[in-house]
Amino acid sequence: MNLTLKVWRQKGPEDPGRMVTYQVKDVSPDMSFLEMLDVLNERLILEGEDPIAFDHDCREGICGMCGMVINGVPHGEQKATTTCQLHMRHFEDGATITIEPWRAAPFPVIKDLVVDRSAFDRIIQAGGFISVPAGSAPDAHSIPVRKEDADAAFDAATCIGCGACVAACPNGSASLFVAAKITHLSLLPQGQPERLSRAKAMVEQMDAEGFGGCTNTGECTAVCPKGIPLDTIARMNADYLKANAK
Amino acid sequence: MTATIERGTATAPVPSTTAAPPAPKPRKRPSGFLGSSTGKKVVMAVTGAIMVGFLVLHMLGNLKIFFGKDSFNEYAHALRTLAEPLLPYRTVLTVLEVILVASVVLHMWAAVSLARRARRARPVKYVAKKSQAGGYVAHIMRWGGVTIALFVVWHLLDLTFGVVNPKGYDSAPADRMIAGFQPGRWWVTLFYLVAVVMVGLHLRHGVWSALQTLGWARGGRRRMLQVLAGALAAVLVLGFLAPPLAITMGFKG
């Protein structure tokens, strides 16, 4: 496969950045999207140019590090798939592919396609945890959990914090990420004592980071590589309202 | 014996983070519930619900024109004399009007405030952006709101104050309505049609979205609420379009 790539290049946080066009030849359809970029980067290094910086780690779709907006869609148009698990066979030979970083004020670009997602860490630090006495693990059956709750909590817990929801949202809202974390803990018995204070603290931190508000467009859940449902946002809103009513 | 492991350049931390964790930039903190994005959404949901309630009553009132001019005029008069012996003329109506105006103002305040927050959250636009969620109505809420606001101004000048109505202010409500939508004023009917369809699209997303904001749209209920929102929007559009279209096409007059 031969491809034309239009890639966002930005030397550093202060550089205004621009789109640069590259030709990539002899791409195997079995390559992942990141492997295709690796091939281009090897060539750029041999030519003495600066390789394209992009985030990646596990390359098996579970770490949440990779992520770029491919042809206007975070992680590309393939549903429920991270960029590292997106394969070149989903593209046509001779295609032009536009690659951009996540675009949001709370996610400043560090270089090229790499953005700083520390805002997510600070939201987790604000309340995305449970306070328990440390020690040996309790018996698995000591606290009963309904099967439905366990399933829904697990679905929410599959969020890898990649930030695609923010990138896709027309408002630059982090609601799906925050809601997934809040839902995951609020459905389990261990999350109950801090349930309302957690929701309040995390939503307030989300606002303080400068993310936009949710308008329920559903763009986030459509691009989420883990398919986190909009239900989580309804749960977050309910907990946040309860916390404020007290 | 302690071994010192030299970290390779590939795994070495970025210099800026080795010194101290970067202090989060001081940002303007939102103040209280109404300053939060979710709080503003709740204001929008509650004021929206008040306006939807008004629209349903308004539509039912409009349909009285099909029972004759007298029925329509009597209804308009009854609105002004609600709870009359107990309260002075137009008390209930004035109270309702104040609530309605407050709702419109708060709804617009929340919308403008959230739209500005959204714009600040994405200072650099995408070169290419492709929507993945089907509901395009969600993306025209702000334009729909502006269209509806402009229409309401015209609508009040036309049928409430009679400024741009052939019959003027000192006329029966039914006469203003029928004169306002005569075939010669087809462009008024057209503007009305566009605005009412906009209201329908606005509610198609707005009604279930409000319930989602209040935390009620969960699981199987979401699908049902979305269908109900669509049905309510359709009923309101048809109910509001029937009288002006009937008058303009000459079935009534």
Side-chain angles (χ1 to χ4, degrees):
Chain A
M1 296 173 76
N2 296 319
L3 300 165
T4 304
L5 302 187
K6 290 184 174 172
V7 187
W8 181 260
R9 298 303 310 263
Q10 184 173 340
K11 289 193 176 76
E14 306 306 323
D15 182 29
R18 71 213 180 282
M19 299 298 283
V20 177
T21 305
Y22 298 96
Q23 303 294 334
V24 194
K25 295 198 189 324
D26 298 327
V27 173
S28 158
D30 295 329
M31 281 179 184
S32 76
F33 201 83
L34 298 186
E35 284 165 342
M36 183 272 294
L37 287 178
D38 290 338
V39 169
L40 172 60
N41 274 347
E42 279 171 18
R43 197 191 83 203
L44 290 178
I45 291 166
L46 287 176
E47 288 171 357
E49 282 184 55
D50 198 19
I52 300 163
F54 59 88
D55 259 333
H56 62 105
D57 193 6
C58 75
R59 296 210 180 196
E60 51 190 19
I62 55 164
C63 77
M65 273 308 281
C66 67
M68 45 193 84
V69 177
I70 302 164
N71 287 337
V73 183
H75 293 303
E77 282 192 69
Q78 194 70 16
K79 294 284 173 205
T81 306
T82 55
T83 303
C84 63
Q85 290 294 300
L86 176 65
H87 288 83
M88 298 316 294
R89 52 180 164 271
H90 298 299
F91 295 88
E92 278 173 31
D93 188 21
T96 300
I97 304 172
T98 313
I99 309 173
E100 296 173 81
W102 290 170
R103 293 287 187 206
F107 286 169
V109 173
I110 298 171
K111 189 180 180 186
D112 298 336
L113 304 172
V114 180
V115 297
D116 180 357
R117 286 170 286 189
S118 308
F120 271 11
D121 297 338
R122 289 190 292 270
I123 292 172
I124 294 294
Q125 283 162 10
F129 49 80
I130 55 168
S131 304
V132 288
S136 58
D139 283 339
H141 64 301
S142 61
I143 307 172
V145 182
R146 281 174 65 233
K147 173 83 168 94
E148 295 78 16
D149 289 347
D151 287 349
F154 190 84
D155 284 349
T158 57
C159 169
I160 52 177
C162 65
C165 44
V166 175
C169 179
N171 305 306
S173 171
S175 286
L176 196 68
F177 164 76
V178 180
K181 299 303 173 192
I182 287 177
T183 300
H184 151 214
L185 295 173
S186 73
L187 281 171
L188 297 174
Q190 292 87 342
Q192 297 311 310
E194 293 155 302
R195 181 172 177 172
L196 298 186
S197 59
R198 173 187 307 117
K200 193 162 190 285
M202 291 180 79
V203 169
E204 279 170 4
Q205 188 62 35
M206 166 177 82
D207 275 356
E209 295 292 345
F211 290 105
C214 175
T215 54
N216 306 315
T217 62
E219 295 287 346
C220 51
T221 187
V223 302
C224 177
K226 301 296 156 183
I228 306 286
L230 281 185
D231 275 27
T232 57
I233 298 182
R235 287 183 190 281
M236 170 179 76
N237 290 341
D239 279 2
Y240 181 73
L241 291 185
K242 261 182 234 157
N244 276 282
K246 286 218 312 189
Chain B
M1 191 179 143
T2 26
T4 312
I5 300 168
E6 279 292 325
R7 302 187 78 181
T9 47
T11 54
V14 183
S16 66
T17 53
T18 48
K25 277 177 238 154
R27 289 188 171 93
K28 204 170 68 182
R29 287 198 73 91
S31 54
F33 180 68
L34 291 183
S36 73
S37 58
T38 314
K40 283 170 188 161
K41 291 288 298 179
V42 170
V43 169
M44 199 175 255
V46 172
T47 54
I50 293 170
M51 290 190 273
V52 170
F54 160 76
L55 283 179
V56 170
L57 293 178
H58 186 357
M59 181 201 77
L60 292 176
N62 283 3
L63 293 176
K64 293 215 174 269
I65 197 74
F66 288 110
F67 298 99
K69 285 185 185 182
D70 290 341
S71 169
F72 189 82
N73 289 334
E74 276 163 25
Y75 169 71
H77 183 67
L79 280 180
R80 285 155 183 79
T81 55
L82 267 178
E84 177 94 283
L86 200 64
L87 298 166
Y89 180 73
R90 226 180 177 288
T91 308
V92 176
L93 191 61
T94 307
V95 168
L96 290 177
E97 281 169 351
V98 169
I99 293 173
L100 202 55
V101 169
S103 296
V104 171
V105 170
L106 287 172
H107 199 80
M108 281 164 54
W109 163 76
V112 169
S113 169
L114 284 165
R116 290 180 58 185
R117 168 177 265 278
R119 196 176 311 153
R120 279 199 305 273
R122 179 154 301 138
V124 184
K125 302 275 174 272
Y126 287 107
V127 174
K129 188 78 180 80
K130 203 188 252 179
S131 172
Q132 292 297 293
Y136 78 100
V137 290
H139 296 275
I140 59 164
M141 291 301 275
R142 287 166 190 154
W143 287 113
V146 171
T147 311
I148 295 163
L150 290 175
F151 168 75
V152 167
V153 172
W154 165 267
H155 191 59
L156 289 175
L157 289 176
D158 185 9
L159 295 171
T160 305
F161 301 111
V163 180
V164 290
N165 189 283
K167 292 282 180 182
Y169 183 70
D170 293 319
S171 56
D175 291 338
R176 280 205 294 279
M177 184 180 190
I178 287 166
F181 292 113
Q182 283 304 304
R185 278 165 56 99
W186 57 270
W187 47 274
V188 174
T189 312
L190 187 69
F191 183 27
Y192 187 94
L193 187 139
V194 170
V196 167
V197 168
M198 268 304 188
V199 170
L201 295 179
H202 203 75
L203 294 188
R204 170 72 190 80
H205 178 71
V207 169
W208 87 261
S209 180
L211 296 166
Q212 162 88 357
T213 297
L214 296 172
W216 297 339
R218 283 187 215 162
R221 242 191 285 171
R222 161 169 296 105
R223 194 72 222 124
M224 190 189 75
L225 290 173
Q226 284 176 336
V227 170
L228 282 180
L232 178 67
V235 167
L236 281 172
V237 168
L238 293 176
F240 273 117
L241 286 185
L245 287 181
I247 294 165
T248 306
M249 291 175 181
F251 299 124
K252 198 79 199 170

